[in-house]
Amino acid sequence: MTQDLPAPLPPALRPAQQQHVLNIVRRAAKAEILPRFRALAAAEISSKSRPDDLVTTADLQAEAMITRALKIAFPDALVIGEEAVSKDPSLLDGLANAPLAFIIDPVDGTWNFAHGMAVFGVILAVTQFGKPGFGLIYDPVADDWAIADSATGLAELQKASGNSSPLRVAMGKQIENLSGYIPLSLFEGPVLRQVAATLPSFARVTSLRCSAHEYRMVAQGHVDFLLTGMLHPWDHAAGALICAQAGAHVEMLDGGPYSAARRNGHLLVAPDRTTWNRLRKVFDFLVVQEPGGA
């Protein structure tokens, strides 16, 4: 897929365009997300695929606002939002062949948001033929953001004050010393039991129910690794790039680079290749379960 592209890709976004995209996300958060935090009426919360797979008015309105602004600024780009895909899954079909695509998760960690927990964020990725070229994970509460650009090697945590700090993943460790994120609720049946059986191997394993903050924690070196359950691009495209630019080894569990166009499989993010290989042996049984790539 992306590894077969005939020539190096140009930068996904120029610096001025990156700033414009950031401004769009921050405005949407201030207008549609933060005013509803801890202020949602029961009628503004509903379920999608499962009782705990929630969507709120904030998700819908923020996505609509971001989508409108992006289509005005980038009329030739493919713009895909999580909530739009829930209504029309065929929108994902265009990712692999799109020269420029924006992928939006308007409120990642909706369950947390709907229950008044300040562990949620806005995720935006820009891909070229499925390959992430720009990633942004914005925390509306703190008004700061993790940002990465594959063209320049940028990987920073930036704040509204203008201060910024480089992102750098942790040092590699032995299995028993690793802390990580595994979304147990996204595995089922015998596979869930197999995944759960690996937990005593590690120093600490948990889940924040929020990909945005999980990727930010890994990219800052506060947590060592991350294993995905489902491969929704709005959850992982930005974080995969941010962690890779911060020095992580980011690879599909069955081998090969991550692509936002891929639908199946598990992404594994680790501090370095040696640690990744150690983790790969622990989770080897998951590869057998994978039905294949997109």
Side-chain angles (χ1 to χ4, degrees):
M1 197 172 290
T2 55
Q3 60 267 37
D4 297 327
L5 294 175
L9 293 170
L13 298 179
R14 298 188 301 274
Q17 292 173 319
Q18 294 179 18
Q19 184 62 49
H20 184 58
V21 169
L22 171 62
N23 291 342
I24 290 171
V25 167
R26 292 179 72 201
R27 284 198 298 269
K30 288 176 172 61
E32 303 292 354
I33 299 174
L34 284 175
R36 294 183 169 95
F37 182 47
R38 296 178 178 163
L40 288 166
E44 294 181 290
I45 307 171
S46 58
S47 298
K48 296 188 292 185
S49 63
R50 306 181 310 275
D52 64 343
D53 181 17
L54 303 181
V55 61
T56 73
T57 304
D59 297 76
L60 297 170
Q61 294 301 319
E63 180 172 303
M65 182 175 175
I66 294 170
T67 298
R68 284 194 302 269
L70 290 176
K71 286 185 174 180
I72 291 171
F74 304 91
D76 297 325
L78 176 66
V79 181
I80 296 175
E82 176 185 4
E83 306 313 328
V85 171
S86 71
K87 297 178 181 177
D88 182 7
S90 68
L91 290 171
L92 292 175
D93 296 342
L95 268 178
N97 296 313
L100 187 69
F102 289 82
I103 307 171
I104 310 158
D105 191 338
V107 181
D108 181 68
T110 300
W111 190 94
N112 296 342
F113 176 81
H115 290 85
M117 293 176 60
V119 184
F120 62 89
V122 184
I123 305 177
L124 184 145
V126 180
T127 63
Q128 299 165 291
F129 302 101
K131 180 180 179 180
F134 174 77
L136 174 68
I137 301 180
Y138 177 65
D139 181 345
V141 175
D143 195 18
D144 64 12
W145 51 93
I147 189 170
D149 173 18
S150 65
T152 63
L154 174 73
E156 286 186 345
L157 182 65
Q158 300 179 351
K159 300 182 179 182
S161 64
N163 295 330
S164 65
S165 56
L167 292 170
R168 190 67 191 173
V169 296
M171 300 289 290
K173 301 180 182 72
Q174 296 295 324
I175 290 293
E176 63 270 20
N177 296 320
L178 294 173
S179 62
Y181 295 121
I182 300 177
L184 284 178
S185 64
L186 299 183
F187 297 94
E188 297 179 344
V191 176
L192 170 58
R193 288 190 287 273
Q194 287 179 286
V195 174
T198 70
L199 302 191
S201 304
F202 305 107
R204 187 181 185 90
V205 172
T206 187
S207 170
L208 300 180
R209 297 185 69 122
C210 178
S211 293
H213 280 282
E214 290 180 353
Y215 277 110
R216 281 174 53 130
M217 290 290 281
V218 172
Q220 292 177 85
H222 300 324
V223 174
D224 300 304
F225 76 92
L226 181 154
L227 175 71
T228 69
M230 304 178 77
L231 211 58
H232 298 315
W234 48 84
D235 287 330
H236 305 299
L241 177 64
I242 289 168
C243 286
Q245 296 293 110
H249 185 77
V250 179
E251 185 177 344
M252 295 300 298
L253 200 62
D254 62 359
Y258 168 78
S259 168
R262 183 163 173 172
R263 308 287 181 88
N264 301 303
H266 302 279
L267 181 65
L268 178 60
V269 179
D272 53 34
R273 175 174 281 279
T274 299
T275 307
W276 191 95
N277 287 334
R278 291 175 182 143
L279 287 163
R280 169 64 171 76
K281 292 178 182 178
V282 174
F283 299 118
D284 179 69
F285 61 90
L286 285 172
V287 176
V288 180
Q289 308 293 333
E290 293 178 0

